Amino acid sequence: MAEAVVLLDLWVSPFGQRCRIALAEKGVAYEYKEQDLDNKSPLLLQANPVHKKIPVLIHDGKPVCESLIIVQYIDEVWSDGAPLLPADPYARAQARFWGDFIDKKMERSCISNLHMNFQSLFRCELNANKSSAFCSFSMDQIYEYGTRLWKLKGEAHQEAKKEFIEILKVLEAELGDKKYFGGDAFGYVDIALVPFCPWFYTFETCGGFSVEAEAPKLVAWGKRCLERESVSKVFDDPVKVYEILKQVYGFE
């Protein structure tokens, strides 16, 4: 009997995109269930009663929550495919360290705001073929850096830009001259970071800098990742992300 695999997600969520990339890399068939976070489904509330947020992977009726935990779970359960985490214990620990770094730094840079404003961030019109006219996206954490690039002015704006660029440079230093963060193989750290690349256009536009000029190896890495079908299928249009943010916040 085939395993029952269900992903509770939202199309625009970079956290859910992590899970979709991992499932695609492993060749796992699953049922995708789009969630309305303004009207949370009984299934979502039952599957994630603590945080009540997406993504949630339900495997044979058992829910697994939090995106990077889900990616690790996928790697362990469907172990026949190419590994996402390295076999060496030290290398695995390092990969998890950088995944945690991305969660603490990069997420806060790319999706920052309070509950109320972020809830309205993705009330965007879908195309005419969608069954629902609007979608919404919310987070439980308060992120700091990203919106400062268009909210702040003068010296404070420059400081926000400096902090964001420093995060990029730290990540680029770890990448070095490698093809992917783990070496020649696409893996865990790549999956953790790549869904945030579509946000770069917004932040460099609002911040008045070029991501490629500041971190050219990181941009080249993003382009390599985009060549993978697992990534290209979930990748958001950077201009669309910018236009949504511009509409909500009214920046130029």
Side-chain angles (χ1 to χ4, degrees):
M1 181 180 293
E3 296 176 300
V5 182
V6 178
L7 182 65
L8 309 183
D9 198 2
L10 184 67
W11 69 275
V12 76
S13 167
F15 307 100
Q17 288 169 5
R18 287 171 168 175
C19 305
R20 281 176 266 159
I21 292 170
L23 287 164
E25 286 290 328
K26 290 289 188 172
V28 179
Y30 64 97
E31 180 183 0
Y32 177 88
K33 291 191 175 183
E34 182 83 1
Q35 299 298 297
D36 178 356
L37 298 185
D38 274 339
N39 184 24
K40 296 181 181 180
S41 69
L43 180 57
L44 176 59
L45 297 176
Q46 179 183 5
N48 191 355
V50 176
H51 297 303
K52 303 177 178 64
K53 65 181 182 179
I54 52 95
V56 179
L57 183 76
I58 304 175
H59 180 208
D60 285 340
K62 300 176 181 178
V64 182
C65 305
E66 300 297 324
S67 63
L68 289 183
I69 293 175
I70 293 171
V71 172
Q72 293 177 52
Y73 179 85
I74 291 168
D75 193 38
E76 293 171 1
V77 171
W78 291 280
S79 56
D80 292 342
L84 303 178
L85 280 155
D88 177 73
Y90 178 75
R92 287 173 74 88
Q94 288 298 102
R96 287 176 174 138
F97 169 87
W98 286 107
D100 183 67
F101 177 88
I102 292 165
D103 269 358
K104 290 177 177 176
K105 297 289 188 179
M106 205 65 211
E107 288 179 9
R108 299 183 184 199
S109 298
C110 291
I111 312 175
S112 60
N113 213 351
L114 301 173
H115 297 263
M116 185 178 301
N117 286 340
F118 207 68
Q119 185 77 333
S120 66
L121 177 59
F122 284 103
R123 288 197 179 98
C124 53
E125 187 171 359
L126 300 180
N127 64 55
N129 295 324
K130 296 287 185 179
S131 59
S132 174
F134 292 91
C135 66
S136 63
F137 183 60
S138 67
M139 287 295 168
D140 288 335
Q141 296 178 342
I142 298 174
Y143 300 138
E144 297 178 1
Y145 298 117
T147 57
R148 292 161 61 191
L149 290 175
W150 61 78
K151 283 184 174 181
L152 301 180
K153 304 295 182 183
E155 187 175 332
H157 179 270
Q158 292 301 312
E159 183 62 27
K161 179 170 71 173
K162 179 181 177 182
E163 291 173 351
F164 182 76
I165 291 173
E166 181 60 29
I167 293 169
L168 296 179
K169 289 185 177 296
V170 169
L171 288 167
E172 184 176 63
E174 171 58 21
L175 175 65
D177 294 322
K178 302 188 295 291
K179 183 177 181 180
Y180 299 112
F181 277 91
D184 290 333
F186 180 81
Y188 179 78
V189 181
D190 306 295
I191 292 172
L193 179 59
V194 74
F196 297 99
C197 289
W199 295 78
F200 289 175
Y201 174 79
T202 296
F203 296 110
E204 65 182 1
T205 300
C206 295
F209 66 95
S210 165
V211 173
E212 188 164 18
E214 299 292 346
K217 292 180 181 179
L218 198 63
V219 170
W221 160 85
K223 292 177 181 177
R224 286 194 296 274
C225 290
L226 190 56
E227 292 173 359
R228 304 183 72 86
E229 186 178 5
S230 64
V231 176
S232 63
K233 280 188 173 182
V234 305
F235 210 73
D236 290 324
D237 179 1
V239 176
K240 183 177 181 180
V241 172
Y242 172 79
E243 290 299 331
I244 292 170
L245 289 165
K246 182 179 178 180
Q247 181 179 356
V248 171
Y249 292 103
F251 57 76
E252 295 298 331

